[in-house]
Amino acid sequence: MGPKILILVSVVLSGLAQVFLKKGMIHVQQKDRDSIWKLATAVFTERFVWLWGFSFVVATSLWLVGLQKVDLSYAYPLVSLGYVLVSVLAVRYFGEKINGSRWTAILIICAGVMAIASS
């Protein structure tokens, strides 16, 4: 796998990790957690929190490998694709509402990433 693909996969996994964490914390919120120990146990035993951790570790590993061969000035702006992915997934899986000004900002981010990627 080429370094640019590694960077993109890392960004996608990082975005998915945030969705897993949100899903996990929604599950934790629904459990009885009247003490710090119950809260810690609920977080520690939540599978989506574990998926978040796993995804984040893999994403970071891919980022480190890809970053060895890609300029930071190219790679780092691609991280903003995660904002786009997380926003779309938040609408799809959590029913979040995104207003027009946010969608406009997301489109501007996309345009910036495309400009960087084509350079």
Side-chain angles (χ1 to χ4, degrees), residues 9-10 19-20 25 39 43 46 60 72 74 76 79 108 111 118:
V9 171
S10 170
V19 173
F20 291 146
M25 295 313 293
L39 175 61
V43 170
E46 175 52 51
T60 301
L72 183 61
Y74 175 87
Y76 196 69
V79 172
I108 291 169
S118 66

Side-chain angles (χ1 to χ4, degrees), residues 64-81:
L64 292 173
V65 172
L67 199 56
Q68 293 177 24
K69 297 185 175 141
V70 174
D71 290 341
L72 183 61
S73 62
Y74 175 87
Y76 196 69
L78 297 179
V79 172
S80 62
L81 286 177

Side-chain angles (χ1 to χ4, degrees), residues 55-117:
S55 298
F56 195 71
V57 167
V58 173
T60 301
S61 300
L62 294 174
W63 178 263
L64 292 173
V65 172
L67 199 56
Q68 293 177 24
K69 297 185 175 141
V70 174
D71 290 341
L72 183 61
S73 62
Y74 175 87
Y76 196 69
L78 297 179
V79 172
S80 62
L81 286 177
Y83 304 142
V84 177
L85 177 63
V86 169
S87 296
V88 170
L89 293 175
V91 169
R92 170 72 172 91
Y93 291 107
F94 303 120
E96 293 185 11
K97 305 292 183 219
I98 298 180
N99 62 26
S101 63
R102 257 194 234 174
W103 281 120
T104 301
I106 289 169
L107 289 173
I108 291 169
I109 290 169
C110 290
V113 169
M114 288 184 347
I116 289 168

Side-chain angles (χ1 to χ4, degrees), residues 10-80:
S10 170
V11 169
V12 169
L13 274 176
S14 294
L16 288 173
Q18 296 307 314
V19 173
F20 291 146
L21 185 60
K22 174 71 173 180
K23 181 80 168 168
M25 295 313 293
I26 288 171
H27 287 172
V28 167
Q29 183 179 21
Q30 296 168 348
K31 295 179 182 177
D32 177 27
R33 58 193 197 298
D34 58 351
S35 73
I36 189 70
W37 300 113
K38 285 184 180 181
L39 175 61
T41 300
V43 170
F44 189 74
T45 59
E46 175 52 51
R47 67 184 169 149
F48 284 103
V49 172
W50 282 95
L51 276 172
W52 161 77
F54 177 77
S55 298
F56 195 71
V57 167
V58 173
T60 301
S61 300
L62 294 174
W63 178 263
L64 292 173
V65 172
L67 199 56
Q68 293 177 24
K69 297 185 175 141
V70 174
D71 290 341
L72 183 61
S73 62
Y74 175 87
Y76 196 69
L78 297 179
V79 172
S80 62

Side-chain angles (χ1 to χ4, degrees), residues 1-7 9 62 65 69:
M1 203 179 306
K4 290 180 180 179
I5 298 297
L6 291 174
I7 295 291
V9 171
L62 294 174
V65 172
K69 297 185 175 141

